[in-house]
Amino acid sequence: MRNLVSSSLPKLPSSEMAAAAGGVALALGGWWEEVNGSPAWQDGAFFSLSAAYALVSAVALVQLIRIQLRVPEFGWTTQKVFHLMNFIVNGVRAVVFGLHAHVFLFQSKVYTLVLLELPGLLFFSTYTLLVLFWAEIYHQAKNLPTGKLRIIYIAVNSFIYVIQVCIWIYLGITDNPLVELVCKIFISVVSFVALLGFLIYGGRLFFMLRRFPIESKGRRKKLYEVGTVTAICFTCFLIRCIVVSILTWFLLLSSCVFFFSTLKHF
């Protein structure tokens, strides 16, 4: 049967196959250039992202209201603060994508960088708060002290925001491309810290829950929830870390090439 099928297929010369592959590549390249240069396609993509983030923000707000109505006596718990921050960070992203046409029109480049990078910092604070919530559960289950966890969370976030604000202030004073590289390296390090947090405490909580019998539906659901959220958040921060690192290396190489080319002219 294999011989019959192979003999029935038309055999193209290698040159024709290469030409066909080249034609497909040119067609895809032309399609991408058309999409990349089309304001209508770009507006559609940005407005779709804005709508998606607005939907996630609305869901977080609804969850916050539901929890507050169900247990108002507990005050601002970690879970409520998480939903509030999730509402804020996705709302900010929705506004930035919705007003994308005005984001790059500032006279000073630092304002554009603030609008583009601030949601990433808020995203880091939001999901490291989830890591804090899991760490508190894990420490309580193991009879370990939990008092220093919140202090560590506040200290790490305060340090990151202070460093980022200092970078923004310096870029506002002097537009230095080297500082932009430092900023991207800093964002990559921040993403790496977040993925480590999810790997350590998400993994610990997941394997701790697996040791208990999971006959009950609620415990099985919690195990699935912790495992899924840990895998998704770890993957997201890992991809962000890799993409920013690759972009940083490209910018660094292009800066080095430009530097050596200018030296040759002298």
Side-chain angles (χ1 to χ4, degrees):
M1 290 181 64
R2 186 178 302 169
N3 293 330
L4 289 173
V5 171
S6 61
S7 62
S8 63
L9 292 176
K11 295 183 179 180
L12 296 174
S14 58
S15 59
E16 293 184 9
M17 293 179 64
V24 172
L26 286 174
L28 291 175
W31 175 83
W32 173 248
E33 289 180 1
E34 180 183 354
V35 170
N36 195 34
S38 171
W41 275 95
Q42 293 181 6
D43 288 342
F46 281 117
F47 287 137
S48 299
L49 288 171
S50 178
Y53 278 114
L55 178 62
V56 176
S57 180
V59 170
L61 181 61
V62 170
Q63 284 292 100
L64 175 62
I65 295 172
R66 286 181 57 195
I67 296 171
Q68 180 64 26
L69 292 176
R70 190 170 64 240
V71 284
E73 64 275 6
F74 285 105
W76 283 99
T77 60
T78 305
Q79 189 179 18
K80 291 179 183 179
V81 175
F82 171 76
H83 286 298
L84 176 63
M85 293 179 67
N86 214 2
F87 162 71
I88 293 172
V89 64
N90 287 287
V92 172
R93 284 189 183 274
V95 171
V96 170
F97 281 118
L99 301 176
H100 66 278
H102 305 281
V103 171
F104 297 97
L105 297 180
F106 292 106
Q107 292 183 354
S108 179
K109 190 177 180 181
V110 67
Y111 297 127
T112 301
L113 291 175
V114 170
L115 285 176
L116 293 177
E117 293 169 359
L118 181 60
L121 291 179
L122 295 175
F123 185 80
F124 171 82
S125 299
T126 302
Y127 283 88
T128 48
L129 184 65
L130 180 60
V131 174
L132 171 65
F133 180 62
W134 288 350
E136 289 177 341
I137 295 175
Y138 179 80
H139 279 239
Q140 289 171 1
K142 295 289 185 179
N143 293 321
L144 298 172
T146 60
K148 294 182 179 180
L149 293 176
R150 290 176 180 265
I151 298 174
I152 294 173
Y153 170 80
I154 294 172
V156 170
N157 278 270
S158 300
F159 175 77
I160 287 172
Y161 278 92
V162 168
I163 296 297
Q164 186 64 70
V165 169
C166 291
I167 293 174
W168 287 337
I169 292 173
Y170 188 81
L171 283 174
I173 298 172
T174 58
D175 190 6
N176 192 341
L178 183 61
V179 180
E180 290 188 34
L181 282 176
V182 172
C183 184
K184 295 189 181 303
I185 294 172
F186 180 71
I187 292 173
S188 179
V189 171
V190 167
S191 300
F192 184 74
V193 170
L195 70 88
L196 276 183
F198 275 102
L199 183 64
I200 294 171
Y201 281 106
R204 284 181 177 180
L205 186 61
F206 178 79
F207 286 110
M208 185 186 73
L209 291 173
R210 283 192 64 182
R211 295 191 190 100
F212 294 100
I214 56 173
E215 288 81 11
S216 64
K217 184 178 179 181
R219 186 167 293 173
R220 192 182 302 113
K221 181 181 178 182
K222 185 60 65 177
L223 180 66
Y224 175 78
E225 176 186 324
V226 172
T228 304
V229 173
T230 299
I232 292 174
C233 292
F234 174 82
T235 305
C236 288
F237 281 107
L238 178 63
I239 291 174
R240 190 183 185 205
C241 181
I242 292 173
V243 169
V244 175
S245 299
I246 292 173
L247 179 61
T248 304
W249 277 109
F250 273 119
L251 290 174
L252 185 61
L253 287 174
S254 62
S255 300
C256 291
V257 169
F258 177 76
F259 176 74
F260 286 115
S261 62
T262 51
L263 284 179
K264 287 181 179 180
H265 289 293
F266 289 106

